[in-house]
Amino acid sequence: MRTVEEQLAIITAAASTPEPVRIAISDALGLRCAERVEGTQSLPSFNQAAIDGFAVRAVDVRNFLQGLQQGIQAEEEGQPPRAVEEFPVVGDISAGSQRPVRLQPRQAVRVETGAPLPNLADAVLPLDWAESNRRWIRPLHPVNSGEFVHREGSDVQPGDVVVEQGTVIGAAQVGLLAAAGRSKVLVYPKPRMSVMSFGQELVDIDRDAGLGHVYDINSYSLAAAGREAGAEVNRIGVINGEPRKLKDLIEGQLMRSEVVVIAGGVGGAASDRLREVVGELGEMDVSRIAMHPGSVLGFGRLGPDAVPTFLLPSNPSAALVVFEVLVRPLIQLIRGQRQATRRVVQARTIAPIESAPGRRGFIRGQLMRDRDTMEFLVDPLGAVHPGEPTHLLGSHGQANCLIVVPSDAGPIPPGHVVDVMFLSNQS
């Protein structure tokens, strides 16, 4: 019986990065950048007003306010008040304007947010920092040089790296690529994953399930798990039939996939027939893994391209756990993610837990946080005692984590600290 770590090492050794492709930046979200992208021009490419206001020279505003203060003091001392002239407003520049404007000393130009500053202007005086009409302004507060201005090149300079190779492209990276004038970018594509369910008892959900039939759950749930992991998923659905037909179908998916997942390929006499078929396409190792649920797994590299192929349990809940623990990390590595496994935190359990002796348990749970102490707390769901049914999906639907129980752990009492693996998009 292999440990989880031993099996995971075998699986992750099969990870290979697909050839990069060049795609539109609008389609690149979530993909890993395969090139180093440098800025070719300054961003912004001109001195730009950061707010609506008046483009001015900061020194002129400072001198105006000093003169105004001196005039007030002179008046208080009984001297003739000093004349302080307003700033004439000599123009108006809107965002997108390409008309050059030159500012003279002690002048102002009305500017909109995003507008280019006129020559010689080095600051923007906000609208509510001045008394004004259409012809003149009187500053009420000083501004410093560069204040309320996006200076040319303050964000990106020519030659600056805007997206580093290996970066997962998010919204900010898409914006930076657009700012750099790039309509396309070289990325590593999503790994293609084919998902199938095997079993004579299975029918698709658009058919009536008669006596002895059950709906195909696995191909839907595992396809969703694959998409959530970042794969491009092709859900085949239920596969059955004579061996030649099965071989042709699986062989076709090996030609179009980087990962193949077949649920229902381990356990029971019927699965022997499937293993004989896949055995003709390459070596398939079916082993017992020291984990619970999902203690039996098939893994091999099939076809001429040695495509990683998984045979998972037919139990829907066990299949999802095995996918999380052993399949998802492979997808993450193919995508180029540095962290292949889910985030793990420590939490205090609020109910007792038991797991299968000698096997690492992955118990579904609800993770929460104490409002006062901010400590993580976890409430185990579903089968928490040996012998309880593990096939029910109801508790899996409520779970947001897996409680990881060591193989040598005995019964875990309430209040004990355990490792917890995040699920869904919380990782």
Side-chain angles (χ1 to χ4, degrees):
M1 183 180 292
R2 292 196 185 112
T3 66
V4 174
E5 288 81 8
E6 289 170 342
Q7 184 64 51
L8 193 56
I10 294 171
I11 291 169
T12 54
S16 60
T17 303
E19 289 296 316
V21 295
R22 193 168 298 279
I23 64 173
I25 62 172
S26 56
D27 298 325
L29 188 68
L31 300 179
R32 188 165 60 100
C33 188
E35 62 176 323
R36 190 173 190 255
V37 182
E38 296 181 355
T40 57
Q41 61 182 12
S42 299
L43 178 66
S45 58
F46 53 88
N47 290 332
Q48 187 181 62
I51 59 171
D52 291 353
F54 300 96
V56 294
R57 297 197 319 164
V59 64
D60 291 339
V61 174
R62 186 166 58 251
N63 290 341
F64 173 88
L65 293 172
Q66 287 176 353
L68 189 63
Q69 185 62 33
Q70 290 171 358
I72 293 172
Q73 290 176 352
E75 189 174 0
E76 290 175 348
E77 295 171 358
Q79 300 177 11
R82 180 179 176 181
V84 180
E85 297 181 0
E86 298 89 355
F87 286 25
V89 178
V90 297
D92 193 321
I93 306 177
S94 59
S97 173
Q98 296 182 321
R99 177 174 57 89
V101 176
R102 184 177 180 84
L103 186 74
Q104 298 297 329
R106 293 186 60 79
Q107 289 182 347
V109 173
R110 176 75 160 81
V111 290
E112 292 182 358
T113 302
L117 258 62
N119 292 337
L120 296 186
D122 65 347
V124 174
L125 189 70
L127 294 177
D128 56 357
W129 285 18
E131 294 179 355
S132 66
N133 62 22
R134 292 185 178 181
R135 299 187 304 276
W136 54 261
I137 67 166
R138 286 180 179 170
L140 301 176
H141 299 282
V143 287
N144 297 316
S145 180
E147 198 166 7
F148 303 111
V149 174
H150 295 314
R151 289 191 180 274
E152 178 182 353
S154 59
D155 198 355
V156 176
Q157 294 277 357
D160 284 353
V161 177
V162 295
V163 180
E164 189 61 80
Q165 182 177 4
T167 300
V168 176
I169 296 175
Q173 285 73 31
V174 172
L176 284 166
L177 289 166
R182 294 288 297 270
S183 62
K184 294 189 175 183
V185 64
L186 196 66
V187 298
Y188 296 105
K190 292 181 178 181
R192 297 168 300 173
M193 184 178 92
S194 293
V195 180
M196 296 165 259
S197 289
F198 175 78
Q200 296 291 337
E201 76 282 9
L202 300 177
V203 295
D204 198 40
I205 57 176
D206 60 359
R207 294 178 54 189
D208 291 332
L211 182 64
H213 286 163
V214 295
Y215 285 128
D216 167 30
I217 298 171
N218 283 322
S219 74
Y220 286 96
S221 61
L222 294 172
R227 292 188 184 97
E228 193 272 331
E232 180 182 317
V233 178
N234 180 31
R235 190 192 68 83
I236 306 304
V238 179
I239 60 169
N240 277 311
E242 53 92 17
R244 171 54 59 182
K245 180 181 177 182
L246 280 175
K247 181 182 177 183
D248 290 346
L249 192 154
I250 296 170
E251 197 168 22
Q253 297 310 310
L254 292 172
M255 296 174 62
R256 60 175 295 179
S257 307
E258 278 77 49
V259 180
V260 171
V261 175
I262 306 174
V266 290
S271 63
D272 294 341
R273 179 164 58 95
L274 177 64
R275 291 201 294 272
E276 290 178 6
V277 170
V278 298
E280 298 179 18
L281 299 171
E283 186 176 348
M284 173 61 66
D285 174 54
V286 178
S287 303
R288 295 192 66 83
I289 314 299
M291 64 179 288
H292 175 76
S295 61
V296 182
L297 173 77
F299 178 73
R301 303 184 68 177
L302 307 185
D305 295 326
V307 176
T309 302
F310 294 86
L311 302 182
L312 301 190
S314 58
N315 178 315
S317 186
L320 278 175
V321 170
V322 173
F323 186 96
E324 281 292 333
V325 176
L326 298 173
V327 184
R328 189 179 189 277
L330 176 65
I331 295 173
Q332 298 305 299
L333 288 177
I334 295 175
R335 291 180 62 209
Q337 296 286 76
R338 296 181 181 89
Q339 180 60 39
T341 56
R342 295 278 198 179
R343 178 188 173 197
V344 175
V345 299
Q346 289 194 318
R348 196 173 300 279
T349 180
I350 63 175
I353 302 173
E354 292 183 44
S355 186
R359 291 190 283 170
R360 181 178 301 180
F362 294 91
I363 308 297
R364 302 178 294 279
Q366 253 185 5
L367 189 65
M368 61 201 82
R369 225 165 188 171
D370 187 288
R371 291 183 179 179
D372 297 325
T373 65
M374 297 304 292
E375 179 184 30
F376 280 115
L377 303 174
V378 65
D379 184 14
L381 303 171
V384 296
H385 300 292
E388 289 185 358
T390 61
H391 67 282
L392 301 177
L393 275 176
S395 60
H396 214 127
Q398 302 170 34
N400 61 5
C401 69
L402 291 175
I403 304 168
V404 184
V405 181
S407 58
D408 58 354
I412 298 175
H416 191 79
V417 174
V418 294
D419 287 339
V420 172
M421 179 193 300
F422 281 80
L423 291 179
S424 189
N425 58 1
Q426 301 178 58
S427 63

